[in-house]
């Protein structure tokens, strides 16, 4: 269908009529044709309360079962020496998700549909195929979290996992976006249980700040520590976040007029999620320092047992509750991301504003994913800790591919018009992608050649990156002097500019060099994923 925005006669690309209307947030409502200027701080705060949600949910949802497990492993096996990775991820989170905010609000079309329509089904199949595979594996890790957390509390996994699956489906398929969002805020609030846990056991301030500010790895860089660093990146900045937040913004009916409020929501979410990750890593580092469990992470359930032994039973119970909460909000977010993408790809109704009868396929896919993932977790004897770490690392390996497609869309003037990326944002995103590729290359080389000097390899790759950056700066300076800088459209209509229907847009033409680069990137990431599988099997 086509939709129109206030004060603009042009049709837009919104696909589902449920995605047009009033913003119905957990803490307030904004009318569809609201054009009132908010000048007071109170009025702006009320708008923020109505808008807030997609950014916080996607970020806290990323502190899921895999996140809890990965941060706990970092603290137990490497102490405070990997803390420095977490603050560095704040700009990565904000840069990636801010681009998604603009895409969702301006286009009204989900991430999967945009990739397919702009780049063709060949590239869409790779991108969305990656998402479906990675998301399903991630959902499995969420039910691993449910099993471990309630198992610690004495509940059999054959009871806890099915009940969690049914509750998750019931909570989502209510036909009310506002009701679903309020459920999510309950889990967001429970995320802060990490604060009382820190009261029981936390490191001294000096070692904590040293770990945050001084890069290093206890025992030195090797293939195992590089795998964990990539897992930290993958669990904190995951590809599913791009698809989820863009579709959730559309489902909440946020338009360009409210972009700055949604940016604030996203920044707050990134700060909350990194804060919780830092605390959890620091807690486990302090709890297991100088104990026989230091350096011997098994899974999150083992961490809860260790905390109960060395800190106190209450600490163990708190971690189990935190893990359960993280598993539920993570499963809800990742599964919904997949259902949204499925609706985008196949053109079916896909909105939380619709009930089960109106969107049977949307909720059917959601339910099927939940049930299948829950069933896999009930298979006895699986190495749950290794599976969880490997899935988070796979997310980190595949993130560059997702970010490249995101960049291409955010530089497409037909898609974003006056909202396209500024040059500085492209430069930051390029640095992020190149560093992620360097990390995955280190993992590949160390998996193939276990005796290689990781520090020397990292220095050599860093030098190559440095030369690349210098060449890029020179190119940009020469281009600007030649007057070939980017053209910017007039921005007086930015608040009402929406992407036209996709059928009216011509497909962008790629140069031969860009096509070859994309094929090379795809081939490289496939090889990296296969070698990651080899590494995980060795660890298992």
């Amino acid at each position: 269908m086509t939709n129109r925005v206030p004060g603009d006669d042009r049709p837009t690309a919104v696909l589902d009529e449920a995605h047009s209307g009033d913003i119905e947030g957990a803490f307030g409502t904004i009318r569809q044709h609201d054009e009132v200027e908010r000048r007071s701080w109170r009025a702006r705060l009320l708008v923020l309360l109505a808008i807030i949600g997609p950014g916080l949910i996607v970020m806290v949802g990323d502190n899921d079962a895999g996140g809890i497990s990965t941060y706990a492993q970092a603290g137990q096996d490497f102490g405070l020496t990997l803390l420095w990775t977490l603050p560095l991820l704040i700009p990565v989170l904000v840069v990636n998700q801010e681009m998604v905010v603009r895409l969702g609000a301006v286009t009204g079309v989900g991430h999967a549909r945009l990739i397919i329509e702009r780049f063709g089904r060949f590239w869409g199949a790779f991108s969305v195929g990656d998402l479906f595979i990675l998301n399903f594996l991630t959902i499995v890790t969420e039910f691993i979290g449910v099993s471990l957390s309630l198992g610690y509390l004495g509940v059999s996994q054959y009871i806890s996992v099915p009940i969690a699956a049914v509750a998750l489906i019931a909570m989502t398929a209510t036909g009310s976006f506002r009701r679903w969002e309020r459920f999510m805020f309950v889990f967001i609030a429970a995320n802060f249980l990490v604060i009382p846990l820190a009261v029981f056991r936390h490191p001294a301030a000096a070692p904590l700040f040293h770990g945050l500010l001084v890069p290093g790895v206890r025992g030195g860089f090797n293939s195992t520590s590089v795998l964990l660093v990539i897992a930290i990146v993958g669990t904190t900045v995951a590809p599913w976040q791009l698809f989820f937040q863009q579709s959730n913004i559309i489902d909440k009916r946020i338009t360009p007029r409210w972009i700055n409020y949604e940016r604030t929501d996203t920044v707050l979410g990134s700060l909350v999620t990194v804060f919780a990750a830092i605390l959890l890593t620091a807690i486990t580092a302090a709890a297991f320092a100088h104990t026989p469990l230091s350096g011997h992470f098994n899974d999150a359930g083992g961490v809860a047992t260790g905390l109960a032994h060395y800190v106190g039973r209450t600490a163990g119970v708190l971690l189990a509750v935190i893990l359960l909460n993280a598993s539920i909000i993570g499963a809800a977010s990742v599964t919904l991301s997949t259902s949204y993408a499925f609706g985008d790809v196949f053109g079916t109704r896909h909105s939380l504003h619709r009930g089960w009868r109106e969107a049977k396929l949307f909720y059917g896919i959601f339910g099927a994913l939940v049930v299948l993932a829950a069933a896999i977790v009930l298979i006895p004897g699986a190495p749950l800790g290794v599976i969880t770490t490997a899935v988070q690392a796979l997310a980190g390996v595949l993130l560059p591919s997702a970010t490249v497609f995101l960049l291409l869309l955010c530089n497409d003037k037909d898609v974003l018009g006056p909202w396209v990326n500024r040059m500085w944002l492209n430069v930051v995103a390029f640095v992020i992608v190149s560093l992620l590729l360097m990390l995955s290359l280190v993992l590949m080389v160390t998996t193939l050649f276990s005796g290689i000097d990781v520090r020397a390899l990292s220095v050599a790759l860093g030098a190559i990156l440095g030369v690349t950056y210098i060449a890029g700066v020179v190119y940009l300076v020469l281009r600007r002097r030649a007057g070939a800088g980017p053209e910017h459209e007039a921005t007086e209509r930015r608040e009402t500019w929406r992407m036209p229907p996709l059928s009216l847009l011509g497909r962008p033409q790629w140069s031969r060099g860009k096509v070859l680069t994309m094929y090379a990137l795809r081939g490289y990431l496939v090889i990296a994923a296969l070698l990651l599988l080899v590494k995980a099997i060795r660890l298992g």
Side-chain angles (χ1 to χ4, degrees):
M1 65 161 287
T2 58
N3 188 43
R4 300 176 189 275
V5 293
D8 195 340
D9 293 331
R10 295 177 305 168
T12 63
V14 175
L15 299 174
D16 188 330
E17 60 270 20
H19 295 157
S20 298
D22 298 342
I23 295 173
E24 298 174 353
F27 305 114
T29 300
I30 300 174
R31 299 301 174 192
Q32 181 179 6
H33 302 297
D34 186 323
E35 296 183 8
V36 176
E37 188 70 27
R38 271 79 173 180
R39 297 187 181 277
S40 69
W41 283 104
R42 181 180 181 278
R44 292 175 179 175
L45 179 60
L46 291 175
V47 172
L48 179 61
L49 287 174
I51 296 291
I52 202 168
L56 267 172
I57 292 168
V58 75
M59 298 298 186
V60 176
D62 210 35
N63 266 3
D64 58 356
I68 300 298
S69 178
T70 302
Y71 304 138
Q73 182 179 2
Q76 183 172 347
D77 287 356
F78 294 95
L80 299 173
T81 61
L82 288 180
L83 273 183
W84 56 273
T85 61
L86 293 169
L88 294 178
L89 293 177
I90 293 176
V92 179
L93 280 168
V94 172
V95 167
N96 270 18
Q97 298 305 126
E98 189 279 335
M99 288 190 278
V100 168
V101 167
R102 280 182 284 126
L103 279 175
V106 174
T107 69
V109 176
H111 204 66
R113 183 61 176 266
L114 277 181
I115 291 174
I116 291 172
E117 293 289 342
R118 300 306 287 161
F119 310 126
R121 291 197 172 273
F122 176 78
W123 293 107
F126 275 128
S127 181
V128 179
D130 286 351
L131 176 80
F132 286 160
I133 295 170
L134 181 59
N135 277 13
F136 178 71
L137 293 173
T138 305
I139 297 164
V140 170
T141 68
E142 310 304 357
F143 281 102
I144 289 175
V146 170
S147 173
L148 293 174
S149 60
L150 289 178
Y152 173 81
L153 297 174
V155 182
S156 167
Q157 65 177 1
Y158 298 103
I159 297 174
S160 62
V161 171
I163 289 177
V166 171
L168 192 59
I169 295 170
M171 179 178 68
T172 304
T174 64
S176 167
F177 185 96
R178 171 173 285 166
R179 192 177 298 122
W180 171 84
E181 193 169 74
R182 284 174 175 169
F183 277 128
M184 292 299 101
F185 270 102
V186 172
F187 296 115
I188 289 172
N191 182 69
F192 288 97
L193 286 174
V194 71
I195 295 176
L197 181 60
V199 172
F200 287 95
R201 191 68 178 94
H202 58 273
L208 177 65
F209 284 107
H210 183 272
L212 287 170
L213 299 175
V214 181
V217 179
R218 188 169 71 190
F221 283 95
N222 53 48
S223 60
T224 302
S225 60
V226 170
L227 175 66
L228 188 56
V229 169
I230 294 176
I232 291 172
V233 174
T235 196
T236 310
V237 193
W240 70 263
Q241 293 176 271
L242 310 180
F243 292 81
F244 174 86
Q245 190 172 2
Q246 184 166 332
S247 291
N248 202 236
I249 284 170
I250 295 164
D251 208 4
K252 191 163 184 176
R253 303 162 176 169
I254 295 172
T255 60
R257 173 170 169 73
W258 313 111
I259 276 181
N260 284 337
Y261 291 96
E262 181 53 32
R263 283 169 169 162
T264 302
D265 177 30
T266 301
V267 171
L268 287 174
S270 68
L271 295 174
V272 167
T273 194
V274 172
F275 170 75
I278 289 172
L279 275 189
L280 191 59
T281 304
I283 290 163
T284 51
F288 297 121
H290 312 299
T291 73
L293 291 181
S294 178
H296 296 286
F297 173 84
N298 183 34
D299 56 42
V303 174
T305 302
L307 286 176
H309 181 74
Y310 290 106
V311 180
R313 175 164 174 74
T314 303
V317 171
L318 273 176
L319 183 68
V321 173
I322 290 168
L323 178 61
L324 176 62
N325 175 73
S327 303
I328 297 298
I329 191 172
S333 303
V334 179
T335 310
L336 191 56
S337 166
T338 312
S339 297
Y340 275 142
F342 189 91
D344 279 335
V345 171
F346 295 102
T348 61
R349 292 175 171 179
H350 53 295
S351 172
L352 292 171
H353 291 285
R354 297 188 180 278
W356 181 274
R357 292 182 179 179
E358 291 183 285
K360 292 185 179 69
L361 196 56
F362 173 61
Y363 291 116
I365 292 297
F366 185 96
L369 286 169
V370 167
V371 170
L372 185 57
I376 288 176
V377 172
L378 297 179
I379 297 174
L384 303 183
V386 173
I387 291 173
T388 302
T389 301
V391 171
Q392 308 315 309
L394 179 61
V397 167
L398 295 179
L399 183 61
S401 175
T403 304
V404 167
F405 281 111
L406 177 62
L407 274 172
L408 291 172
L409 288 172
C410 285
N411 284 280
D412 189 335
K413 285 190 176 182
D414 288 338
V415 170
L416 283 185
W419 292 95
V420 292
N421 276 5
R422 302 294 182 183
M423 181 57 70
W424 70 266
L425 189 56
N426 288 329
V427 170
V428 172
F430 174 78
V431 171
I432 291 170
V433 170
S434 62
L435 290 174
L436 290 172
L437 287 173
M438 188 184 87
L439 272 176
S440 64
L441 182 58
V442 170
L443 179 63
M444 286 175 60
V445 174
T446 54
T447 300
L448 291 171
F449 309 101
S450 57
I452 197 167
D453 187 332
V454 178
R455 185 179 295 275
L457 174 64
S458 301
V459 170
L461 292 175
I464 294 172
L465 270 187
V467 172
T468 304
Y469 294 157
I470 292 171
V473 170
V474 171
Y475 169 77
L476 290 176
V477 170
L478 293 176
R479 190 180 178 206
R480 184 176 292 275
R481 287 182 177 177
E487 299 178 4
H488 296 293
E489 294 187 21
T491 59
E492 62 269 14
R493 296 179 64 250
R494 288 184 66 177
E495 286 194 356
T496 57
W497 197 94
R498 304 296 300 275
M499 184 183 75
L502 287 164
S503 59
L504 302 180
L505 304 183
R507 184 168 292 175
Q509 297 299 311
W510 283 1
S511 66
R512 185 180 297 272
K514 184 176 288 187
V515 171
L516 291 175
T517 300
M518 292 300 292
Y519 274 116
L521 175 63
R522 168 54 53 184
Y524 169 77
L525 292 178
V526 168
I527 294 171
L530 290 174
L531 288 174
L532 172 61
L533 177 62
V534 171
K535 179 69 177 178
I537 291 173
R538 286 179 182 174
L539 290 175

